[in-house]
Amino acid sequence: MPRNPFLVAASCAALALAAAPALAQREGPQRLGTHGSWTAATYQENGQKVCYAFARAARSEGAPGNRGAATLTVTHRPGGRDQVAASVGYPLPRQSEALLTVGTGEFRSYGVVQSSAFFQNGAQLIGAFRNGREAVVRSPGPPGRSAVTDTFPLAGFAAAYDAISRECPAQAPRPAR
């Protein structure tokens, strides 16, 4: 049976248009690139673009055997840039504190949620990451265990950070009324 090329093309186009919203909803993180030990990526959160760079711990001491991945992440969101968090891969005790060291600089977390510790002074941390060799996170261990120390290489951080900054540029301040 002969097929009409126009009908075939129109049918394909209609199917593609119908499937596009479903595909867009299922779209997960999009990798921007790998830079040394760091990966840069982006995803949509509540309809807004979020960019982040992360590295996995190269070494860990005192970690429980059944924990998840330990990661160090820098995130740019529309409401805040240079957000730094360390995920230790196991639940942190409430009200606990983690210590992040880069060279001789020490940064204390301001809060923990589940398995992540969050750090202030993002701009200072970014400068330390750019100039440092490694970042070390010391966090409380799980109940009944001593502290856990995770070491993250900083090789490639600057390129990964630049990639997320290009993808999610800083917003110009809005003029006061």
Side-chain angles (χ1 to χ4, degrees):
M1 171 191 284
R3 291 195 173 153
N4 182 333
F6 176 75
L7 287 176
V8 171
S11 296
C12 288
L15 284 172
L17 285 174
L23 289 174
Q25 288 175 355
R26 280 190 264 150
E27 190 174 303
Q30 301 296 308
R31 183 181 298 240
L32 298 174
T34 300
H35 308 275
S37 300
W38 287 76
T39 299
T42 183
Y43 70 97
Q44 292 289 315
E45 181 177 82
N46 299 323
Q48 297 186 310
K49 186 186 286 187
V50 175
C51 296
Y52 63 102
F54 70 94
R56 289 186 170 80
R59 291 188 317 274
S60 297
E61 297 171 24
N66 61 346
R67 79 166 178 171
T71 58
L72 182 59
T73 307
V74 175
T75 306
H76 292 336
R77 285 188 167 79
R81 299 183 65 74
D82 299 339
Q83 299 171 344
V84 178
S87 176
V88 297
Y90 57 87
L92 288 164
R94 291 175 61 126
Q95 310 284 315
S96 63
E97 183 179 76
L99 180 66
L100 172 60
T101 304
V102 182
T104 59
E106 290 187 347
F107 304 87
R108 296 194 179 283
S109 64
Y110 66 86
V112 298
V113 176
Q114 297 176 351
S115 65
S116 295
F118 299 91
F119 297 88
Q120 296 182 51
N121 303 320
Q124 282 182 309
L125 276 164
I126 299 311
F129 289 173
R130 281 185 177 278
N131 296 313
R133 228 184 74 232
E134 62 185 20
V136 178
V137 175
R138 185 172 169 86
S139 57
R145 304 225 18 187
S146 61
V148 174
T149 301
D150 293 306
T151 303
F152 300 90
L154 294 174
F157 171 77
Y161 181 81
D162 291 346
I164 67 171
S165 295
R166 277 190 305 274
E167 190 69 22
C168 289
Q171 301 294 317
R174 295 180 186 207
R177 290 185 174 200

